[in-house]
Structures are given as structure tokens and as C-alpha cells.
């Protein structure tokens, strides 16, 4: 999985993990726990080095991620 276009990520106080589509768009709201290069959420683990490169200050915290779009590839 990868995030396309822009994504917003910030720390949240909420500790309830969720993965929700926003209306009928391709945008999502993902609340999860950031651990190294992994975002762990409701039954899904996103792995991307961008979490280490640009968001290391949020490591070991609950975050909200709002990507414009998500691309999925099955190997």
C-alpha cells in the first residue's frame, strides 16, 4: 500500500484505532499507532520508510493520517 498525493499526519489523544473512508471520495481517515516505519491500525499495518524519514518525532504515539488516496498492490 502506498499513499498518493498529499497526506496529513498528526498526534491524537484518541487511542481507538480506525480506518474510515471519507464520504464517497478516495480520501481516508486512519487512526493508529506509529511504531518505527509501521502504522498499525484496525486490522491493517501500513509500512513505509516515510514514517521514519519525515515523522520520526511521532514514533510510539497514536496518530491520525488523512491521505488523499491509497494505492494497493497484491503480490
Amino acid at each position: 500500500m502506498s499513499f498518493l498525493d498529499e497526506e496529513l499526519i498528526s498526534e491524537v489523544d484518541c487511542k481507538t484505532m480506525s480506518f474510515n473512508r471519507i464520504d464517497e471520495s478516495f480520501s481516508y481517515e486512519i487512526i493508529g499507532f506509529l511504531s518505527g516505519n509501521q502504522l498499525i491500525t484496525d486490522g491493517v499495518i501500513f509500512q513505509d520508510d516515510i514514517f521514519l524519514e519525515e515523522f520520526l518525532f511521532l514514533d510510539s504515539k497514536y496518530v491520525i493520517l488523512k491521505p488523499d488516496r491509497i494505492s494497493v498492490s497484491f503480490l
Side-chain angles (χ1 to χ4, degrees):
M1 283 189 214
S2 62
F3 304 114
L4 305 174
D5 301 324
E6 293 292 318
E7 69 270 344
L8 301 172
I9 186 170
S10 60
E11 185 176 0
V12 292
D13 293 327
C14 177
K15 295 189 178 11
T16 302
M17 297 181 188
S18 64
F19 186 173
N20 299 308
R21 185 174 178 184
I22 299 174
D23 300 321
E24 296 297 317
S25 69
F26 292 109
S27 298
Y28 289 83
E29 180 181 85
I30 303 165
I31 298 175
F33 186 77
L34 190 60
S35 178
N37 69 341
Q38 296 183 335
L39 176 61
I40 303 162
T41 189
D42 191 29
V44 179
I45 297 175
F46 294 95
Q47 185 171 334
D48 196 325
D49 287 338
I50 194 168
F51 295 134
L52 290 174
E53 296 166 2
E54 297 187 24
F55 303 110
L56 185 60
F57 64 97
L58 294 171
D59 190 37
S60 299
K61 296 181 180 175
Y62 282 88
V63 297
I64 185 167
L65 176 66
K66 294 183 177 180
D68 286 340
R69 292 175 29 166
I70 298 174
S71 174
V72 178
S73 297
F74 297 96
L75 302 174

